[in-house]
Amino acid sequence: MSRKHLRRIGVTAGVIAALVSVSVVAGANANGSQADPSVPGTLRVFAGPYEQAQFCEGGPTPVISGASGGALAASPAEFGKDAGKNRRYHSLRATFEVARPGEAALLTRTERIWPNGMVFNLALGAGELKPGEYRFRLHAKGSGQDSAWTPWCAFTVTR
């Protein structure tokens, strides 16, 4: 290759590198250390640590046992195969509200995102909720901002 072609390739590579760095900086927030929160999705309920997820949409009402507890979970909206590798996700938190239908929240708790950066999780201990109908929702927190609340997800607690 001639020097002229090598120079063009070098200039083109430089322009591409500059554009990539500008898009990365533009996509980050002001301090670059936290992800801007968006409304979490894929709300689900777990009846135990080794149980399959019971999704809030498109199926029967999820059920957990009051005697053994369970977990409520959701995923950050920016969920993707590289979410766990993105350090900005590790600073996200979620505030969960658990209530009986039509009543004010009886449990409000803020939890950090799991270390893999892909799951918001609220563990419910044995006996923490009495048998009956409940619902939960959550919103993400990060960068000094809060996302909007998710829709309510109904679930049932048995004995």
Side-chain angles (χ1 to χ4, degrees):
M1 280 190 175
S2 69
R3 285 185 178 203
K4 185 177 180 182
H5 285 87
L6 289 174
R7 231 179 305 173
R8 282 186 186 160
I9 291 171
V11 169
T12 303
V15 169
I16 291 170
L19 290 173
V20 168
S21 65
V22 167
S23 68
V24 168
V25 170
N29 60 22
N31 65 12
S33 63
Q34 294 183 335
D36 291 329
S38 52
V39 179
T42 319
L43 277 65
R44 52 204 180 271
V45 175
F46 292 90
Y50 303 106
E51 300 294 327
Q52 289 186 339
Q54 301 173 67
F55 294 96
C56 295
E57 291 183 17
T61 301
V63 177
I64 63 172
S65 166
S68 59
L72 311 174
S75 300
E78 300 296 324
F79 185 72
K81 67 179 180 134
D82 293 329
K85 297 175 186 171
N86 185 338
R87 291 179 189 250
R88 295 184 311 142
Y89 277 95
H90 299 288
S91 61
L92 288 176
R93 298 180 324 276
T95 297
F96 286 81
E97 284 189 347
V98 178
R100 291 201 179 260
E103 295 182 14
L106 59 92
L107 176 69
T108 301
R109 225 182 274 162
T110 300
E111 300 286 337
R112 291 195 167 283
I113 195 164
W114 275 31
N116 66 7
M118 297 176 158
V119 179
F120 294 118
N121 185 69
L122 174 65
L124 298 170
E128 193 166 356
L129 296 176
K130 302 207 179 309
E133 302 297 315
Y134 292 89
R135 61 188 184 154
F136 82 94
R137 67 180 183 169
L138 67 145
H139 68 94
K141 299 170 158 273
S143 300
Q145 300 175 7
D146 291 355
S147 74
W149 288 95
T150 64
W152 287 100
C153 170
F155 67 98
T156 303
V157 176
T158 61
R159 293 179 193 210

